[in-house]
Structure formats: structure tokens, C-alpha cells
């Protein structure tokens, strides 16, 4: 199998970390970015020569551009971009949500993803090959109370992926959106609930959710598709989850 150069954003924990580890174990070269430098260093030390850590906040466009421009020549030809950096903040109804939480989700989940994609994409097109794998969510197509802006950002990721493929048809470059439902074993809910571990644990109580390894396995499968195959989007849920009925607000008769 030909060694690939893969860029994974948000790789200090969760999906990103598992994806980086999985691909490094098979001998690919992984550029990992995240804000927590010490975690990236630990990851690089576990896979000497295969993981290049770059402390980075994807919402800082100038820093992203500089970091990619400073990559050594042997790391610059990125074959696969995994746009994993993202977060959910809060679960309040829209009229009570914090505006700064909304802005941060948009900046990370949408603007950061777009920035990294735009900077990596020209090289892929010039080489006539490449894959962009965006981590979306079932929240992008299935609304739920409190999901307001988080769900909207993931709807953006889904549609951005589709429109990338509309632009890239015949170029040898493909975009895919992986859209998981309930996934445990990450910091996702802890971040959403501002570190409230009890509240975060309640999300997964008495369930068997998907795991970060399930997501990493799916990403690897997409990466290994033949060059003529495009996976536009892939929705996945655990067996304990399915589509819910629509909410009906009933008035109490007098």
C-alpha cells in the first residue's frame, strides 16, 4: 500500500486522535493539529517519524496559512485532509443560548473547516488526486431541541461537502462527509456541558453508543476506496438510536 500523507485537525483527542493513530499504525504519515500542544507531542512520540505535530487553532486563518506553508517539502503533498476540529457548546433553547457559544461553533465548525480546505485543496487539484473527509453529524439533518446553531453548522458541513464534489468532478479529488449519531468515549459532551461530567455521562447512560474507533474505521474505509469511487456522505448510528417522531405541542382543553 502506498504511503499517504494525511492532515487531521482536532487530533488531540476523540475522533481525530483515533484516526491519526489508526492511520499511523499502518505506516502513513500524519500531520496532526490541535490547540493542546502537549497532547500532540505525546502522539508524535508514540509514532516516531510518522506523526508531525503542529499546535494550531483552525479559527486563526493566518496561523493556518503560515503553518502549512512552513511544512517541510516531504510533508507538503497532502493526500488526505480530515476536517475533524469542531465542537458543540450548550443545549439551551435558542432564546437562552449564549451568543459567544454560537460564534465559537460557527468559527470552528464552519470557518475553520473552510479555511483549511481552501489552503490544502489547490495542491490536491494540481496533483490530480486527493480526498477531503469532513466530520459532520446526524444533527445536520435531524433537528433536536437545543441543537440550534450546532446542528446548523453541521448542515453547512454536509452541503459544503456536496458542493465541493460539484466543483471537483473529474479532477481526481473527492470529498466525503461522515455523519455519526450518538458516540461515546470522547470529550464531546463534557465540552458541551462546560466540564459537567455528571451531565455528560447522562447522555450515554444505559446505551451502547458508537465509539471513536468506529469513526476511525469508517474514515479508513473511505480513504481506501478506489480512485473512481466518491462517498458523498455516510450516516451512521448505534443500534440503540434511530429517528424520532416529530414533536407535537398540544393545548390543554378547558
Amino acid at each position: 500500500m502506498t504511503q499517504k500523507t494525511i492532515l487531521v485537525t482536532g487530533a488531540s483527542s476523540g475522533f481525530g486522535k483515533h484516526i491519526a493513530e489508526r492511520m499511523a499504525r499502518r505506516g502513513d504519515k500524519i500531520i496532526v493539529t490541535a490547540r493542546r500542544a502537549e497532547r500532540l507531542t505525546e502522539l508524535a512520540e508514540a509514532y516516531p517519524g510518522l506523526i508531525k505535530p503542529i499546535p494550531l487553532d483552525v479559527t486563526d486563518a493566518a496561523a493556518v496559512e503560515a503553518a502549512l506553508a512552513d511544512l517541510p517539502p516531504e510533508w507538503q503533498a497532502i493526500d488526505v485532509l480530515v476536517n475533524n476540529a469542531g465542537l458543540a457548546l450548550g443545549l439551551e433553547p435558542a432564546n437562552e443560548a449564549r451568543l459567544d457559544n454560537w460564534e465559537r461553533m460557527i468559527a470552528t465548525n464552519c470557518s475553520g473547516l473552510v479555511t483549511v480546505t481552501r489552503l490544502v485543496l489547490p495542491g490536491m487539484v494540481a496533483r490530480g488526486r486527493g480526498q477531503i473527509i469532513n466530520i459532520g453529524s446526524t444533527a445536520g439533518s435531524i433537528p433536536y431541541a437545543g441543537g440550534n446553531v450546532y446542528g446548523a453548522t453541521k448542515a453547512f458541513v454536509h452541503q459544503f461537502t456536496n458542493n465541493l464534489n460539484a466543483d471537483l468532478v473529474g479532477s481526481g479529488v473527492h470529498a466525503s462527509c461522515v455523519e455519526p449519531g450518538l458516540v461515546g468515549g470522547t470529550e464531546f459532551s463534557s465540552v458541551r456541558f462546560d466540564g459537567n461530567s455528571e451531565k455528560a455521562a447522562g447522555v450515554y447512560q444505559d446505551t451502547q453508543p458508537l465509539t471513536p474507533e468506529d469513526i476511525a474505521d469508517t474514515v479508513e474505509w473511505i480513504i481506501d476506496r478506489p480512485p473512481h469511487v466518491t462517498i458523498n456522505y455516510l450516516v451512521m448510528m448505534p443500534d440503540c438510536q434511530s429517528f424520532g417522531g416529530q414533536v407535537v405541542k398540544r393545548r390543554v382543553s378547558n
Side-chain angles (χ1 to χ4, degrees), residues 44 51 103-104 118 146 150 162 173 175 192 195 205 209 211 224 248:
I51 290 187
E103 291 170 340
R104 186 177 169 197
R118 180 59 182 82
Y150 174 70
N162 287 342
V173 182
R192 168 168 247 170
Q205 185 175 351
T211 69
D224 287 343
V248 177

Side-chain angles (χ1 to χ4, degrees), residues 15 182-186 204 209-212:
F15 299 170
L182 188 69
V183 186
T186 75
Y204 312 102
L210 298 174
T211 69

Side-chain angles (χ1 to χ4, degrees), residues 101-233:
N101 280 346
W102 281 8
E103 291 170 340
R104 186 177 169 197
M105 284 187 281
I106 293 168
T108 306
N109 302 358
C110 299
S111 298
L113 181 146
V114 165
T115 296
V116 180
T117 300
R118 180 59 182 82
L119 291 170
V120 171
L121 189 55
M124 290 182 172
V125 173
R127 291 186 293 275
R129 67 180 190 276
Q131 291 176 289
I132 297 167
I133 301 176
N134 297 321
I135 303 299
S137 169
T138 54
S141 57
I142 306 171
Y144 58 87
N148 39 70
V149 166
Y150 174 70
T153 64
K154 293 304 184 177
F156 172 90
V157 172
H158 174 101
Q159 191 62 13
F160 179 62
T161 305
N162 287 342
N163 279 282
L164 282 175
N165 282 325
D167 287 344
L168 296 170
V169 60
S171 69
V173 182
H174 312 263
S176 303
C177 191
V178 177
E179 303 177 4
L182 188 69
V183 186
T186 75
E187 298 175 355
F188 178 84
S189 288
S190 180
V191 170
R192 168 168 247 170
F193 296 124
D194 200 24
N196 186 328
S197 56
E198 183 177 349
K199 198 170 183 179
V203 174
Y204 312 102
Q205 185 175 351
D206 300 324
T207 71
Q208 185 177 351
L210 298 174
T211 69
E213 273 297 332
D214 293 326
I215 310 307
D217 177 65
T218 301
V219 168
E220 182 181 24
W221 179 81
I222 292 173
I223 290 173
D224 287 343
R225 292 311 86 208
H228 69 284
V229 175
T230 298
I231 306 299
N232 292 295
Y233 58 91

